[in-house]
Amino acid sequence: DTAVSQTPKYLVTQMGNDKSIKCEQNLGHDTMYWYKQDSKKFLKIMFSYNNKELIINETVPNRFSPKSPDKAHLNLHINSLELGDSAVYFCASSQETSGTDTQYFGPGTRLTVL
Amino acid sequence: AQSVAQPEDQVNVAEGNPLTVKCTYSVSGNPYLFWYVQYPNRGLQFLLKYITGDNLVKGSYGFEAEFNKSQTSFHLKKPSALVSDSALYFCAVTSNYQLIWGAGTKLIIKP
């Protein structure tokens, strides 16, 4: 069983479109995260949720909206996609919110905006 | 400002030789320190972490890391490198309830 899964694995779309990426974890963790990894492999946290409640909301354009229907799922919806949104997006989870706990990552979603 | 530095973009090591991937940090308090590895086209995997106690931490795949409080460093080491260790390695440090990530170091092990 995959601990943290994401769909789709690849996403190619045109500028201006709206798209969603889904994430699910079966580890029973309370906290989930979205990260963006750019072309230089730099990793940046975007959001974190704890039990469906938003904990971290970094400086991310409001075109990005996370949604957590339950603590096992954290989806990322992106409106009006731009070229600069092209990146790999990783979902992760951990038991605690404090940042001291090991995070488990999904395989990533490679988003390409044309 | 809180920061994590991985001073080398790339480290090249011959198979069988010892390897070191460097990490230094500037974070207040007593942070937790982590190393993660990312293989090509994969997500990050946890290697090891330092919480407290013994300054030498052992982790997965034969890796270990040495915490040095006075030098605010947490270098990743392995006594004998394998070609399969070739990957991207990230150091991360807790600060204000989240992880601060280094920029990553690409480790290349040559046969």
Side-chain angles (χ1 to χ4, degrees):
Chain A
D1 277 345
T2 303
V4 182
S5 59
Q6 296 178 228
T7 54
K9 188 171 176 63
Y10 299 97
L11 187 53
V12 181
T13 187
Q14 300 286 332
M15 271 197 312
N17 283 352
D18 303 339
K19 291 293 179 185
S20 292
I21 306 172
K22 296 185 176 182
C23 178
E24 176 181 3
Q25 56 96 2
N26 63 7
L27 298 168
H29 287 164
D30 288 339
T31 307
M32 296 184 72
Y33 310 81
W34 277 110
Y35 285 90
K36 178 180 180 181
Q37 186 175 45
D38 62 23
S39 58
K40 295 184 177 181
K41 306 297 185 182
F42 187 73
L43 202 61
K44 176 181 168 58
I45 188 163
M46 301 173 69
F47 304 101
S48 77
Y49 269 72
N50 180 264
N51 272 322
K52 303 193 295 177
E53 180 182 346
L54 181 64
I55 301 298
I56 294 173
N57 184 356
E58 290 297 305
T59 306
V60 175
N62 57 16
R63 299 181 295 103
F64 290 79
S65 54
K67 286 184 171 53
S68 182
D70 55 61
K71 75 172 192 176
H73 295 85
L74 181 62
N75 303 323
L76 184 65
H77 188 77
I78 315 170
N79 289 328
S80 302
L81 279 155
E82 300 177 357
L83 292 176
D85 297 332
S86 295
V88 180
Y89 292 84
F90 288 102
C91 177
S93 73
S94 66
Q95 184 56 47
E96 297 179 10
T97 309
S98 61
T100 60
D101 199 27
T102 300
Q103 294 185 17
Y104 294 83
F105 284 76
T109 295
R110 183 175 295 277
L111 171 65
T112 303
V113 182
L114 303 175
Chain B
Q2 320 281 18
S3 64
V4 176
Q6 293 182 240
E8 301 150 318
D9 289 337
Q10 183 170 308
V11 171
N12 298 298
V13 178
E15 187 177 26
N17 283 0
L19 69 87
T20 298
V21 182
K22 295 179 180 177
C23 174
T24 59
Y25 63 93
S26 175
V27 171
S28 57
N30 296 308
Y32 288 25
L33 301 145
F34 296 80
W35 277 101
Y36 285 80
V37 60
Q38 184 179 23
Y39 297 102
N41 300 313
R42 303 282 295 276
L44 280 74
Q45 296 178 34
F46 168 76
L47 273 181
L48 51 81
K49 71 178 176 183
Y50 174 83
I51 302 173
T52 186
D54 192 347
N55 289 344
L56 189 63
V57 180
K58 294 189 184 298
S60 307
Y61 312 120
F63 283 93
E64 56 190 26
E66 187 169 13
F67 170 64
N68 187 317
K69 187 171 184 177
S70 62
Q71 296 184 7
T72 60
S73 67
F74 189 54
H75 300 333
L76 182 70
K77 300 181 179 184
K78 187 172 182 180
S80 178
L82 299 172
V83 172
S84 57
D85 292 330
S86 298
L88 186 59
Y89 290 80
F90 289 94
C91 179
V93 177
T94 53
S95 175
N96 294 329
Y97 305 103
Q98 62 179 291
L99 284 180
I100 300 175
W101 293 84
T105 298
K106 186 175 183 179
L107 177 64
I108 297 176
I109 309 299
K110 298 184 177 180

